[in-house]
Amino acid sequence: MGLFSSNNANEFKVGDRVRVKYRGQEGYIIDKNGSLYMVSLKDGQYVDSYSADELEKCW
């Protein structure tokens, strides 16, 4: 909820490859529910929801 929180909310879209900042795990965004992004980790074996400030794009 910092200065750029409104921009971060639109930063990601379904299909983007992302990294969970505090876990270092990478996955793909599969859905958005309100302000949370559902991320598929380990090729779909694990799915969890994260806010935009917990994620960063992977290239």
Side-chain angles (χ1 to χ4, degrees):
M1 282 130 228
L3 181 62
F4 301 106
S5 62
S6 61
N7 292 337
N8 283 344
N10 296 321
E11 183 177 348
F12 305 110
K13 61 184 185 297
V14 172
D16 282 352
R17 184 179 176 112
V18 294
R19 178 181 299 114
V20 182
K21 291 179 182 178
Y22 65 91
R23 297 178 81 177
Q25 288 183 299
E26 296 180 8
Y28 292 92
I29 294 179
I30 59 172
D31 197 11
K32 183 177 181 192
N33 185 7
S35 64
L36 296 177
Y37 294 91
M38 290 183 65
V39 179
S40 172
L41 304 164
K42 297 185 180 181
D43 295 329
Q45 295 177 12
Y46 183 74
V47 175
D48 207 347
S49 296
Y50 301 95
S51 61
D53 63 342
E54 295 176 294
L55 301 171
E56 58 188 2
K57 282 191 178 181
C58 294
W59 304 102

